[in-house]
Amino acid sequence: MGYRVTLIPGDGIGPEVTTAARTVAAATGVAIDWDVVEAGEVAIQRSGTPLPDDVLASIRKNELALKGPITTPIGSGFRSVNVALRQQLDLYASVRPARAIAGEGTRFPETDLIVVREATEGLYAGVEHWVDRDHSAAETINIITRKASDRIVKFAFELAKREHRRRVTAVHKANIMKTTGGLFQTAFREMSAKYPDIPSDERLIDNMCMQLAKKPEEYDVIVTTNLFGDILSDLCAGLAGGLGVAPGALYGEGLAVFEPVHGSAPKYAGQDRADPVAEILCVEMLLRHVGETEAANRIFRAVWETIAEKKVVTYDLALPGYTTRPVPPSACSAMAAEIARKVPLVDLDAPLPKGAAAAGGGGDPALEA
Ligand code: NAD
């Protein structure tokens, strides 16, 4: 019997990129039995709620999920399904590797870092209200607890230790938000003392953005609170080649949900145009997490070779690269088929490209170049 994995296709480009990811997963030969459930706009139409109980029940039962992006209406409408999932399943650690692949789509080909983001509290705790009847003032409460801060910084140091990373950098704004930022900073400093072999330092969020835009190659594991992590992981995705190639994972006690950094990109929905790589690399992370290291390596290498060859790539990677000319863009499904074709053919004995172990879920240190 294979792995039973919950699959949430999601909204917008979600069904296209999750279908692409399934195609590539099948090419590895690892048996996966997909338990498909619906959340988001499609679930509202069918069952009147964006997060039906069977979604949570399926993830609790299978303990593994692959998720497409889910739309969140802006300003009004239902609350974020993504935030609700993280809170209800206590998926506290969001891990988003930003790896430049084959120098395409990036001005920073040396980028190889991981953003570890606390995913259940902070300004995303959902505690907000109008201050007066005229709606002329509003408040959102920033909830930071010692328990959540301790466990996310511990997660970051453990990840750095397991994957032989160079450094852990905490990002906060403790100079202005002295209580909430200060609490997170204290938790980080006390935890770093327990990991004397792992170099650590701190940056204020504003300075961190400037540093990343100038020299991302100097950073490795970044640990931060919810809102800062959300923003930084998009920034780092941009540095590493764009949202189309940025995977992610959410970990809780005994649960792991894999989802790309990108959203549902509604303007590309149904056009077979979106880049499937982020969702495909989510499968790589999933397989690495369950110990299917060879299959994970095959996917990573097939993605790398497809992007490096630059013959069958989607529009975002067809642009002029760091070293290459523009090419005609291919469809999402064509790029997935090309990656799937390569999966069984790749030479695993050849030196692996940098970043192959940056999965945040138990990568194989032997793979690091
Ligand atoms: P987005 O990530 O969906 O898209 C922003 C832009 O990035 C797109 O217009 C496109 O140019 C590019 N892009 C994104 N994914 C791509 C892909 N796979 N291939 C090629 N280009 C890609 O962000 P948005 O437009 O701000 O958000 C759209 C919706 O997605 C919103 O409702 C938002 O709340 C939701 N969202 C969901 C998640 C999630 O489910 N985890 C994450 C972020 C945003």
Side-chain angles (χ1 to χ4, degrees):
M1 225 178 75
Y3 299 95
R4 190 152 174 81
V5 179
T6 301
L7 178 80
I8 306 169
D11 296 318
I13 60 171
E16 295 157 61
V17 292
T18 52
T19 298
R22 284 177 70 165
T23 302
V24 174
T28 65
V30 174
I32 299 179
D33 180 13
W34 300 101
D35 182 11
V36 182
V37 289
E38 283 171 349
E41 287 177 327
V42 66
I44 293 188
Q45 285 155 20
R46 298 243 172 112
S47 47
T49 167
L51 186 54
D53 289 342
D54 67 328
V55 176
L56 296 168
S58 171
I59 298 174
R60 285 197 179 100
K61 186 165 162 240
N62 298 326
E63 300 179 345
L64 281 174
L66 179 70
K67 178 182 163 294
I70 294 178
T71 298
T72 306
I74 296 175
S76 59
F78 61 85
R79 280 194 61 212
S80 166
V81 171
N82 302 308
V83 172
L85 256 184
R86 293 164 198 169
Q87 289 177 341
Q88 294 194 35
L89 297 173
D90 199 23
L91 298 166
Y92 66 92
S94 164
V95 176
R96 292 176 162 182
R99 300 168 284 191
I101 302 180
E104 286 298 328
T106 174
R107 288 179 213 167
F108 301 98
E110 296 302 315
T111 305
D112 178 11
L113 44 82
I114 306 177
V115 178
V116 177
R117 158 190 173 196
E118 203 295 321
T120 60
E121 56 175 33
L123 277 160
Y124 287 16
V127 186
E128 56 176 7
H129 52 257
W130 294 108
V131 170
D132 60 359
R133 286 189 185 173
D134 300 335
H135 290 192
S136 67
E139 284 179 349
T140 298
I141 312 284
N142 185 19
I143 296 175
I144 301 289
T145 64
R146 183 62 199 242
K147 181 182 167 215
S149 301
D150 279 342
R151 69 179 179 174
I152 196 66
V153 293
K154 182 166 193 233
F155 187 100
F157 278 105
E158 284 295 320
L159 184 152
K161 189 164 90 176
R162 192 171 61 241
E163 300 196 1
H164 304 274
R165 308 294 298 203
R166 285 174 288 134
R167 182 157 59 125
V168 179
T169 302
V171 177
H172 53 67
K173 191 69 182 169
N175 57 335
I176 304 293
M177 297 190 284
K178 293 186 195 298
T179 49
T180 50
L183 195 162
F184 183 77
Q185 180 188 46
T186 302
F188 179 75
R189 288 184 176 177
E190 290 183 12
M191 194 60 72
S192 68
K194 295 180 184 168
Y195 293 85
D197 297 338
I198 301 176
S200 62
D201 57 2
E202 298 170 31
R203 293 281 179 278
L204 296 175
I205 178 66
D206 40 351
N207 181 30
M208 186 79 235
C209 292
M210 190 279 291
Q211 300 282 346
L212 283 170
K214 281 192 80 162
K215 42 189 177 185
E217 70 283 358
E218 289 196 4
Y219 292 89
D220 200 330
V221 176
I222 293 170
V223 61
T224 189
T225 48
N226 208 341
L227 174 65
F228 294 158
D230 194 7
I231 296 167
L232 280 184
S233 55
D234 263 45
L235 168 60
C236 292
L239 295 170
L243 285 169
V245 296
L250 292 154
Y251 298 101
E253 292 305 326
L255 302 179
V257 175
F258 298 85
E259 63 167 6
V261 177
H262 67 71
S264 56
K267 69 180 180 190
Y268 295 134
Q271 295 176 30
D272 198 14
R273 242 191 117 193
D275 188 337
V277 166
E279 195 78 49
I280 290 168
L281 292 178
C282 287
V283 175
E284 179 219 343
M285 290 180 79
L286 186 155
L287 291 170
R288 216 174 278 293
H289 175 71
V290 299
E292 297 284 352
T293 309
E294 184 189 320
N297 291 345
R298 286 190 176 280
I299 291 180
F300 184 70
R301 181 172 284 279
V303 165
W304 184 285
E305 288 179 3
T306 303
I307 293 177
E309 260 176 31
K310 209 173 168 179
K311 286 185 186 151
V312 188
V313 291
T314 46
Y315 80 93
D316 52 324
L317 297 166
L319 302 167
Y322 194 66
T323 55
T324 54
R325 293 166 183 280
V327 295
S330 296
C332 171
S333 55
M335 187 172 183
E338 178 61 14
I339 294 168
R341 187 186 69 77
K342 285 187 164 69
V343 162
L345 305 176
V346 293
D347 176 7
L348 289 177
D349 292 331
L352 273 158
K354 194 172 179 212
D364 180 354
L367 304 178
E368 282 178 303

